[in-house]
Structures are given as C-alpha cells and as structure tokens.
Amino acid sequence: MEFTENENQKMIAQMVRDFADKEIRPKFMEWDESQEFPVPVFKKLGELGLMGVLVPTEYGGSGFGYFEYITAIVEISKVCGSIGLSLAAHNSLCTGHIMYFGNEEQKKKYLTKLATAEFIGAWGLTETNTGSDSARMLTIAEKDGDYYVLNGAKNFITHGKSGDVAVVIARTGAKGDSRGMTAFIIERGTPGFSAGKKENKLGMRASETTELIFQDCRVHKSQVMGQEGEGFIQAMKVLDGGRISIAALGLGIAKGAYEAALKYSKERQQFGQPISNFQAISFKLADMATQIEAAELLIYQAADMKNRGERMTKEGAMAKYYSSEVAVRVSTEAVQIFGGYGYTKDFPVEKFYRDSKLCTIGEGTSEIQKLVISKSILA
C-alpha cells in the first residue's frame, strides 16, 4: 500500500484551501447561527469539479479516485464540517448510487447535472422508526401499471428540501425482507413529493436536514434503479463507500480542531510561558496527533481497497468508527486546551466540538460499525 500524496491530491488540497478561505471561512459561523444551507457555495464547488469527484469524465465528472475525494472532504471539513458533510452526502450517496447502479440513460440524465451542481442530490433511506433497522421501513411503493405509487416519509435527509433530485429506497415487498425494497430516482416537483420539517440541530447546522414526504407520489418504472427488490442491497453497498466519506469528514474536523489548539497553545501565556510548555497540554497534543495519524491510515487503507475494487466492508467500518470517535475526542480536548475561550463562539473549536458528534451517528452509528466489524472477524 502506497499512501504518498500524489500530484492530484496536492493540487486539490491547495485549490480547496484557497476556496475555503475565500468562500467559506468568512461566513461559516453566520450560516451556522441561521441554519442557512448556502446553495451558491455548492454551485461554485461544482464549477471546481468537486461535486462529481468520483464521476467519470464522460458524464461531466472529475474522474478521480478515493484518495483525491478524501483530500477534498478533509480540507473543506478543516474549515466547516457542515459544508464537508453536504459535499460528502452529495458525492457518495445520491450521485454514488446512480453512478454504481443506474442504467446508461439514468447516468446520462442525472450524473451530468449532479457532477456540475446543476442538480444537488439527496438520498432517502432512514425513517422515524427505522434508523439502523432500515429493512423494516414503512414507506411503500405499490405497482400500478407502468408506475409505482409511493406513500410514507423519510427523515434526517440531507438536502431534503433544497435537493433537485433524490434517490429513495421504498418497500415493494414484505417488511424485513432484504430483497423487498427498491431504489427510485425522484425529481423535485414530482406531484406528491415534498419536504417536511427541517431539523434544528446541535451541529452541522448549515447542512440542511429535513423530512421527505410521499403522498400518492407516482413514479414511472423508468426511474427504478436496477431491478425491483434490489434497493436495500444497493444501499448497503453505497454505504460502504459512504463510510469512507464520513471517516474523511471526521478526520477533517479532528485536524481543524487540533491545528487550532496547537496554534493557541503556543500563543496563550500562563505563568510567564506558553501553555504548550506544560506537560498537561503537550501530552494532550501528543495524543491528538497520534490518533489523527492512526485514523488517517485506516481511511487510506479502506480507500486503497476501494480504488482497487476490493471488498472493504470491514475496513470501511473500522475507518468510519475510529475516525468519528477520534473527531469527538480531539475536538473535546481542543475545547479544554482553549479553556474558557473554547466555550465561546469567538473561537472555532466549539463548532468543531458540536459538529464532530454527527460523525458517530450519521451513515451508521458507532455501534452499527462495531456490529459490521464483529460479524466480519467472527465469520
């Protein structure tokens, strides 16, 4: 395994840093306070090719691999976790699902628009009573001639209101049957398809999270991905790659918090010297740096396997589990190093602290990752 930063990664990292300094850093706290989802930022990210990082060039994407994708998410998330989360969800979930499982007509129709951010994508699996237990979903799609009629609701959906197109998994068979669910591509404006309540969240507040509601929503059979009954299996494969995305998001948050704490520790004076001189602080920084390095290696191991087309369910789960927990630990210690100032919104670490928790919950909780890992090692 060779994880040396390639030239594409170096180019992307610098491009993203410049973009984040100009377009994100000046307003990220304003967006956080108001819970504004800054659509124009994502349109500009589309112009840079970052809304279709993994999409082949023939569909208007950048055609890069997972190393470049991780680089983009990490560099964005070092500044704002919300923007990093939305970038990850758009690329790996909605866009990724169509890229891997859509037919040629669907790819040409949707990937070309998603890769340029003409369309912003959403992805609907979770429901109120079926988070980790998604196989028991209640949203139903009943066949009616050449159409399916959807009724039900999804919740905790990123870009549920502002998204132009959503990939939605609905039940077409028996509850609990892994082959009883089907994936549909549904455009905003389709009759019977609407957004519901917008969540008021602890962190990631500039990344829009809402309900999706279906009331006698008629979807043509041409909008089905793959065959009827394959939706849940497709979704689990999509989430394998999604775990790398959230792991990268957690890594970016951890790096942002660590770098802020390291800088502050060298500037903050107590008892006539920088607080970084005190072992209580320097040992915290040592632990933070070590955990970040370990998380990064796990993520790149999973990404390397994904790039080579190898099965990486266990490795992806390990990377997501460890990196998300590291994000929480590192951001917690960063607040502690800042002391009272870390508890105020004048400094960035309180936002890293709030944003980090989502990484241990979204796209599979830490507990679900441990379930995936344990099943693999005990098989």
Side-chain angles (χ1 to χ4, degrees), residues 124 146 181 191 222 232 251 259 302 361 373:
D146 287 342
M181 287 154 281
S222 63
F232 182 77
L251 178 63
E259 289 173 9
I361 299 169
I373 295 164

Side-chain angles (χ1 to χ4, degrees), residues 120-187:
I120 289 175
W123 192 75
L125 178 67
T126 300
E127 297 182 6
T128 303
N129 294 315
T130 56
S132 300
D133 188 16
S134 54
R136 297 182 185 277
M137 65 178 59
L138 300 178
T139 298
I140 295 173
E142 294 181 315
K143 194 79 180 288
D144 181 20
D146 287 342
Y147 288 81
Y148 288 83
V149 181
L150 275 68
N151 282 285
K154 301 290 180 178
N155 76 332
F156 296 130
I157 307 305
T158 305
H159 315 148
K161 180 180 179 181
S162 298
D164 300 282
V165 62
V167 172
V168 177
I169 293 85
R171 189 155 57 82
T172 50
K175 188 187 295 185
D177 180 5
S178 64
R179 294 191 175 274
M181 287 154 281
T182 302
F184 300 88
I185 305 172
I186 309 177
E187 293 186 34

Side-chain angles (χ1 to χ4, degrees), residues 258 278-291 329-330 332-338:
Y258 165 74
F278 299 112
Q279 192 178 82
I281 302 300
S282 63
F283 276 21
K284 285 183 186 296
L285 292 166
D287 283 339
M288 293 158 80
T290 302
Q291 291 172 54
R329 289 198 294 270
V330 168
T332 300
E333 291 289 46
V335 171
Q336 197 70 17
I337 289 171
F338 271 77

Side-chain angles (χ1 to χ4, degrees), residues 10 35 93 169 177 181 191 202 218 226 228 239 271 313:
K10 292 176 183 176
Q35 292 203 88
L93 298 180
I169 293 85
D177 180 5
M181 287 154 281
L202 168 71
R218 294 177 66 81
E228 181 179 308
L239 286 172
F271 306 102
T313 301

